[in-house]
Amino acid sequence: SAVISQKPSRDICQRGTSLTIQCQVDSQVTMMFWYRQQPGQSLTLIATANQGSEATYESGFVIDKFPISRPNLTFSTLTVSNMSPEDSSIYLCSGGDMEKLFFGSGTQLSVL
Amino acid sequence: AQSVTQLGSHVSVSEGALVLLRCNYSSSVPPYLFWYVQYPNQGLQLLLKYTTGATLVKGINGFEAEFKKSETSFHLTKPSAHMSDAAEYFCAARRAGNMLTFGGGTRLMVKP
């Protein structure tokens, strides 16, 4: 199994600012993804983090708002840019292979 | 497109009673299927998965699930509920590109 660490675990941010969330996996993984979980709801995929190339975004999510980096097979970052209260959510990193995906404990973001 | 439906956003059982959480998927090709559990303020933990082979899958904490192709279902069961089982449960299916599509989640409450 893989252990996924996310930083920060929570943050309170001001409207218009940006926050970068880091995701570190303790072993190399083929795939990494970023999900959003809005209060009381299920998980929605934001994007697939591709090593060494631009992320692949799901419908409704754009690179200017959620830039993602993945420099290697164990690390990725998600930035939430120009934040508004609607961005208040839990952001989850996941990584693994075709048969198993592991999740970090999430970053709880509150935007005032 | 792949979709996952969980019947019942909230399920309440008495301690010691049978737990049954329902999940149906839509796909012309049997997908990989997963159940995850999320305890309050934590990330997702993999309970069990179905990829190929035996249709009855046993997971952690006494949970099991049965893949029924004819019913496109992957219901999660546990013979006897424990107070510590109270959590949010998510059914998920792997789709093209290897990311997961999640159901809406079912909150399990266990009464003493």
Side-chain angles (χ1 to χ4, degrees):
Chain A
S1 64
V3 177
I4 299 181
S5 304
Q6 274 186 245
K7 290 193 301 186
S9 58
R10 60 177 64 229
D11 207 341
I12 301 173
C13 300
Q14 295 298 318
R15 181 195 299 259
T17 63
S18 297
L19 176 72
T20 295
I21 302 168
Q22 298 182 1
C23 176
Q24 179 73 56
V25 190
D26 69 344
S27 59
Q28 293 186 346
V29 290
T30 309
M31 292 164 282
M32 293 184 77
F33 304 98
W34 286 96
Y35 285 84
R36 181 173 74 182
Q37 186 179 23
Q38 294 183 300
Q41 297 189 27
S42 186
L43 284 78
T44 301
L45 180 65
I46 297 173
T48 302
N50 300 310
Q51 188 214 350
S53 65
E54 192 171 288
T56 305
Y57 290 85
E58 295 296 297
S59 176
F61 297 95
V62 296
I63 187 172
D64 290 345
K65 176 67 176 178
F66 297 101
I68 289 170
S69 76
R70 188 181 174 190
N72 55 50
L73 293 176
T74 64
F75 186 77
S76 179
T77 67
L78 167 74
T79 299
V80 186
S81 303
N82 188 25
M83 287 184 284
S84 66
E86 292 72 35
D87 295 320
S88 297
S89 188
I90 298 173
Y91 293 85
L92 292 139
C93 170
S94 69
D97 57 31
M98 287 177 58
E99 292 199 354
K100 198 174 290 186
L101 271 183
F102 299 95
F103 284 80
S105 56
T107 297
Q108 186 164 348
L109 172 62
S110 298
V111 183
L112 305 178
Chain B
Q2 177 72 267
S3 68
V4 178
T5 303
Q6 291 183 240
L7 288 176
S9 59
H10 292 79
V11 170
S12 180
V13 300
S14 298
E15 192 172 21
L18 171 72
V19 175
L20 170 61
L21 305 183
R22 300 177 187 274
C23 173
N24 288 86
Y25 67 92
S26 67
S27 175
S28 58
V29 177
Y32 287 10
L33 295 163
F34 306 82
W35 275 99
Y36 285 87
V37 60
Q38 185 178 37
Y39 296 102
N41 301 313
Q42 295 187 31
L44 274 71
Q45 180 181 4
L46 180 65
L47 272 178
L48 50 81
K49 64 182 173 81
Y50 168 78
T51 54
T52 58
T55 56
L56 182 62
V57 180
K58 294 187 184 299
I60 62 172
N61 301 337
F63 284 94
E64 62 182 37
E66 186 171 10
F67 169 68
K68 292 187 176 180
K69 183 179 177 181
S70 61
E71 298 177 8
T72 61
S73 69
F74 190 57
H75 301 332
L76 181 71
T77 60
K78 182 174 180 178
S80 177
H82 192 274
M83 296 296 291
S84 61
D85 294 327
E88 186 90 18
Y89 292 80
F90 292 96
C91 181
R94 183 176 71 89
R95 59 180 172 97
N98 297 313
M99 65 282 289
L100 296 181
T101 297
F102 284 85
T106 298
R107 181 167 299 278
L108 176 65
M109 295 167 284
V110 182
K111 299 176 292 186

